[in-house]
């Protein structure tokens, strides 16, 4: 039953309203979109395990459409026949998950790749019943599907209907226009499916290649086999909790004042074995997102405090240590930098086979360290948590737009650091880099001006017509490096970085596979 106190879903990330004023301000006619990287968190899901049974029901019945789609898939591949009504949630889901993601070690982890039933018993007050709509734990719900379809529809309204950047229908060679990546967690895989459904609602039956990497090579979330990363992660997280001890203890006491939460801590919580806020957030945020009844003490303000404290417990450390953020997400940053470089090269040579849009379907642990990368300010380091630090919401997104100005004069001021790396083939220590490793030398072997051409020498200003803007949900991220004179658009300001300004921001975080392996081995 829906709680009458909640009329909306503030647990889902907001999107900007595409008003004529918004379009005129951010997309003037002379500013062309060249390439877009969209990285999003999956949509609303169930908790990854049956925690806090005094509060959360054993059976979450929000997956009627999802379970039906799974059955249709299994019928298509000949693995099941007949009605799904008599099958349990586990019977419906496991064959689907095992068929798509064979031999992935994460597939046996509860709530990871797909949903498995929790062994926790239902509370005596739990009246929920298992039905054909019952979700497994960690499963994308029908509400989550709607959220990602809305994100895709927003992308269509902007890049298809308004800017004509993408075609209105997918061409036969759509694989060359779209690059699609997802983790092997099915909530991410299905979120990608529904994002595409919103972007191209009348999609034909043409095949699209979706790239899924094995767990030991996936760069869309931290590699927890990296012992150096884990050491720094645990150390900094403990320091952060200690630094906000009073705020943390106040929230903890407020949690204990809620009978259902107090019972959970008394019976199940073990200090040092689980994080207080993260454990609670994983239950109350999905409940709020699905308008389930919650105690009056657990209102939106309470949930915001829990989400912020969870971010301090788990995410703040990425903002404090470039080395930690690099080990968490640096391989993906390296890939994103190469996307920008290859798109510039393709634009110069009129290569139509380079993807216009890359979509990465991931998790909170994908977006959170990226936000730290984009927000890192080497000149203003502090142990305090950033004012807007919080947990990424369901369907949260980061959009990285590569732009080209065909009219305005490019910045004439030369940033102080621009000449420091005139030869991008050199790889100094991470904290001295102004361009990511792997950016090809050929990117700067072009003349400047409106009619660029290949040249043999290095030209540090070869990319001055290209800019990058980074969106997080409904707002533009102001990258610290892009405040520097000459590192942003002359008219649009620091919200639109020069390509080299963007490269400077992410350079110390970008790491190749080889560099990542070596850094993980350091003591």
């Amino acid at each position: 039953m829906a709680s009458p106190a909640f009329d909306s879903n503030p647990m889902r990330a907001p999107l900007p309203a595409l008003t004529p004023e918004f379009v005129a301000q951010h997309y003037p006619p002379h500013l062309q979109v060249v390439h877009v990287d969209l990285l999003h968190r999956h949509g609303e899901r169930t908790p990854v395990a049956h925690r806090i049974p005094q509060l959360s029901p054993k059976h979450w019945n929000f997956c009627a459409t999802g379970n039906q789609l799974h059955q249709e898939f299994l019928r298509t591949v000949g693995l099941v026949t007949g009605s799904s009504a008599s099958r349990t949630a586990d019977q419906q889901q496991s064959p689907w998950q095992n068929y798509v993601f064979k031999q992935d070690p994460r597939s046996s982890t509860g709530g990871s790749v797909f949903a498995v039933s929790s062994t926790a018993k239902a509370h005596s007050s739990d009246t929920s019943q298992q039905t054909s709509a019952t979700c497994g734990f960690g499963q994308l719900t029908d509400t989550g599907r709607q959220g990602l379809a809305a994100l895709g529809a927003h992308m269509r309204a902007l890049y298809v209907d308004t800017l004509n950047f993408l075609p209105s229908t997918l061409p036969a060679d759509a694989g060359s226009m779209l690059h699609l990546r997802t983790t092997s967690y099915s909530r991410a895989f299905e979120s990608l499916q529904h994002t595409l459904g919103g972007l191209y609602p009348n999609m034909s039956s043409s095949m699209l290649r979706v790239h899924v990497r094995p767990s030991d090579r996936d760069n869309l979330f931290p590699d927890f086999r990296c012992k150096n990363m884990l050491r720094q992660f645990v150390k900094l997280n403990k320091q952060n909790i200690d630094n906000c001890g009073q705020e943390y203890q106040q929230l903890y006491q407020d949690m204990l004042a809620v009978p259902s939460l107090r019972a959970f801590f008394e019976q199940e919580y073990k200090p040092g074995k689980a994080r207080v806020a993260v454990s609670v957030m994983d239950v109350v945020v999905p409940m709020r997102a699905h308008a389930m009844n919650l105690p009056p003490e657990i209102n939106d303000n309470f949930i915001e405090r829990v989400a912020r404290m969870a971010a301090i417990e788990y995410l703040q450390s990425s903002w404090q240590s470039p080395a930690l953020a690099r080990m968490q997400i640096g391989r993906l940053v390296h890939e994103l930098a190469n996307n920008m470089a290859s798109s510039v090269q393709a634009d110069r040579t009129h290569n139509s086979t380079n993807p216009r849009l890359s979509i990465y379907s991931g998790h909170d642990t994908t977006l959170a360290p990226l936000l730290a990368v984009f927000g890192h300010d080497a000149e203003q380091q502090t142990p305090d948590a950033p004012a807007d630090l919080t947990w990424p919401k369901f369907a949260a997104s980061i959009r990285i737009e590569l732009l080209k100005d065909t009219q305005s004069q490019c910045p004439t001021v030369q940033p102080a650091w621009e000449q420091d790396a005139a030869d991008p083939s050199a790889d100094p220590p991470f904290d001295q880099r102004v361009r990511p490793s792997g950016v090809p030398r050929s990117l700067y072997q072009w003349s400047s001006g409106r009619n660029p051409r290949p040249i043999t020498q290095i030209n540090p200003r070869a990319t001055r017509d290209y800019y990058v803007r980074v969106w997080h949900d409904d707002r533009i991220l102001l990258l610290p490096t892009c405040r520097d004179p000459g590192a942003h658009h002359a008219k649009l300001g620091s919200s639109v970085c020069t390509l080299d300004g963007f490269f400077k921001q992410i350079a110390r975080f970008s790491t190749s596979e080889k560099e990542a392996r070596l850094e993980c081995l350091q003591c």
Side-chain angles (χ1 to χ4, degrees):
M1 179 182 296
S3 173
F6 298 131
D7 298 322
S8 61
N9 182 6
M11 303 299 104
R12 181 182 297 169
L15 293 168
L18 300 181
T19 62
E21 294 77 15
F22 174 91
V23 174
Q25 177 183 357
H26 298 295
Y27 299 94
H30 54 85
L31 198 65
Q32 297 179 353
V33 181
V34 176
H35 175 85
V36 177
D37 283 334
L38 169 67
L39 304 102
H40 66 72
R41 186 190 178 194
H42 56 74
E44 288 88 335
R45 58 158 173 80
T46 57
V48 298
H50 186 210
R51 297 191 184 101
I52 320 183
Q54 299 88 346
L55 181 67
S56 171
K58 174 77 171 181
H59 304 292
W60 287 59
N61 297 322
F62 298 98
C63 297
T65 300
N67 290 345
Q68 182 179 357
L69 290 173
H70 301 161
Q71 289 301 295
E72 292 300 325
F73 172 84
L74 293 175
R75 290 192 191 94
T76 301
V77 299
L79 291 184
V80 68
T81 59
S83 171
S84 63
S86 62
R87 301 173 66 85
T88 66
D90 284 346
Q91 289 173 329
Q92 292 171 9
Q93 296 152 5
S94 295
W96 179 89
Q97 167 247 304
N98 292 334
Y99 183 91
V100 177
F101 303 118
K102 297 181 177 71
Q103 299 178 343
D104 191 313
R106 291 171 294 200
S107 63
S108 61
T109 305
S112 293
V113 174
F114 204 73
V116 296
S117 290
S118 171
T119 56
K121 295 182 179 179
H123 192 259
S124 58
S125 61
D126 187 356
T127 60
S128 65
Q129 299 292 322
Q130 183 165 322
T131 71
S132 60
T134 299
C135 313
F137 290 102
Q139 183 176 348
L140 183 74
T141 65
D142 294 344
T143 300
R145 295 170 188 278
Q146 296 167 5
L148 271 299
L151 175 61
H154 175 83
M155 295 285 289
R156 181 177 181 85
L158 177 60
Y159 294 113
V160 177
D161 300 336
T162 302
L163 302 178
N164 296 314
F165 169 64
L166 297 174
S168 59
T169 58
L170 281 176
D173 60 342
S176 64
M177 186 191 74
L178 298 175
H179 176 74
L180 308 175
R181 273 278 308 280
T182 178
T183 70
S184 60
Y185 289 53
S186 67
R187 56 181 175 266
F189 188 94
E190 293 183 89
S191 291
L192 174 60
Q193 173 192 2
H194 289 277
T195 302
L196 282 172
L199 179 60
Y200 286 105
N202 298 317
M203 189 184 306
S204 68
S205 59
S206 59
M207 299 292 289
L208 292 174
R209 182 182 296 274
V210 177
H211 298 266
V212 184
R213 295 187 180 181
S215 59
D216 59 348
R217 293 182 52 241
D218 203 337
N219 61 7
L220 284 177
F221 41 60
D223 181 359
F224 287 98
R225 299 170 305 167
C226 178
K227 294 182 179 179
N228 188 17
M229 182 197 76
L230 285 176
R231 281 193 296 268
Q232 294 195 37
F233 184 68
V234 172
K235 178 182 177 180
L236 286 172
N237 286 352
K238 184 178 184 305
Q239 290 177 0
N240 291 333
I241 292 174
D242 292 342
N243 288 341
C244 63
Q246 184 174 356
E247 180 183 359
Y248 194 92
Q249 286 300 319
Q250 183 59 57
L251 177 61
Y252 181 66
Q253 293 301 320
D254 291 345
M255 289 181 180
L256 294 181
V258 183
S260 55
L261 297 182
R262 182 176 65 248
F264 166 69
F265 286 124
E266 290 175 348
Q267 297 174 19
E268 299 185 32
Y269 177 69
K270 299 177 181 179
K273 299 295 183 181
R275 297 177 179 87
V276 176
V278 170
S279 299
V280 174
M281 182 187 68
D282 188 64
V283 174
V284 299
V285 168
M287 291 186 70
R288 173 64 179 91
H290 293 88
M292 300 171 72
N293 285 319
L294 286 165
E297 300 92 341
I298 304 181
N299 53 30
D300 284 351
N301 177 262
F302 180 92
I303 294 174
E304 287 178 6
R305 291 173 59 203
V306 171
R308 175 170 169 80
M309 191 56 62
I312 291 174
E313 289 178 337
Y314 204 86
L315 306 179
Q316 182 187 347
S317 53
S318 303
W319 290 76
Q320 298 169 307
S321 169
L324 177 58
R326 182 169 59 246
M327 287 185 283
Q328 290 176 323
I329 209 67
R331 295 175 300 151
L332 177 60
V333 175
H334 188 271
E335 181 174 333
L336 298 174
N338 287 340
N339 287 354
M340 297 294 109
S342 62
S343 296
V344 169
Q345 303 264 42
D347 182 65
R348 287 169 170 169
T349 59
H350 308 289
N351 180 1
S352 61
T353 63
N354 192 73
R356 293 188 183 184
L357 171 65
S358 296
I359 304 179
Y360 297 82
S361 184
H363 307 264
D364 41 23
T365 49
T366 307
L367 269 60
L370 276 179
L371 292 174
V373 168
F374 295 139
H376 177 79
D377 190 339
E379 298 179 359
Q380 297 184 13
Q381 288 298 285
T382 171
D384 299 329
D388 60 349
L389 177 68
T390 189
W391 205 274
K393 295 186 176 185
F394 291 124
S397 64
I398 293 174
R399 280 186 292 126
I400 307 172
E401 295 177 323
L402 176 65
L403 308 166
K404 181 180 180 180
D405 195 318
T406 61
Q407 178 179 318
S408 301
Q409 183 180 12
C410 64
T412 56
V413 177
Q414 182 177 6
W417 40 262
E418 185 178 75
Q419 195 64 34
D420 293 346
D423 183 357
S425 64
D427 285 334
F430 285 112
D431 61 354
Q432 298 177 22
R433 296 180 184 180
V434 299
R435 294 192 180 102
S437 63
V439 170
R441 178 185 178 90
S442 58
L443 187 68
Y444 294 91
Q445 291 177 306
W446 280 75
S447 63
S448 304
R450 294 304 177 195
N451 297 299
R453 65 186 187 280
I455 56 178
T456 57
Q457 67 269 31
I458 293 293
N459 175 15
R461 301 179 69 78
T463 63
R464 299 300 277 175
D465 290 339
Y466 293 93
Y467 299 85
V468 174
R469 179 168 53 203
V470 183
W471 294 86
H472 173 41
D473 298 335
D474 60 348
R475 63 188 178 94
I476 298 174
L477 294 181
L478 301 178
L479 280 58
T481 297
C482 301
R483 298 192 302 254
D484 294 351
H488 53 260
H489 194 279
K491 294 183 178 179
L492 297 177
S494 58
S495 65
V496 180
C497 308
T498 62
L499 178 60
D500 277 345
F502 174 75
F503 280 165
K504 174 70 161 58
Q505 179 68 32
I506 68 174
R508 67 173 58 198
F509 300 96
S510 173
T511 180
S512 66
E513 293 285 345
K514 180 179 179 180
E515 289 173 324
R517 288 194 298 270
L518 291 175
E519 192 164 21
C520 280
L521 293 174
Q522 294 177 8
C523 297

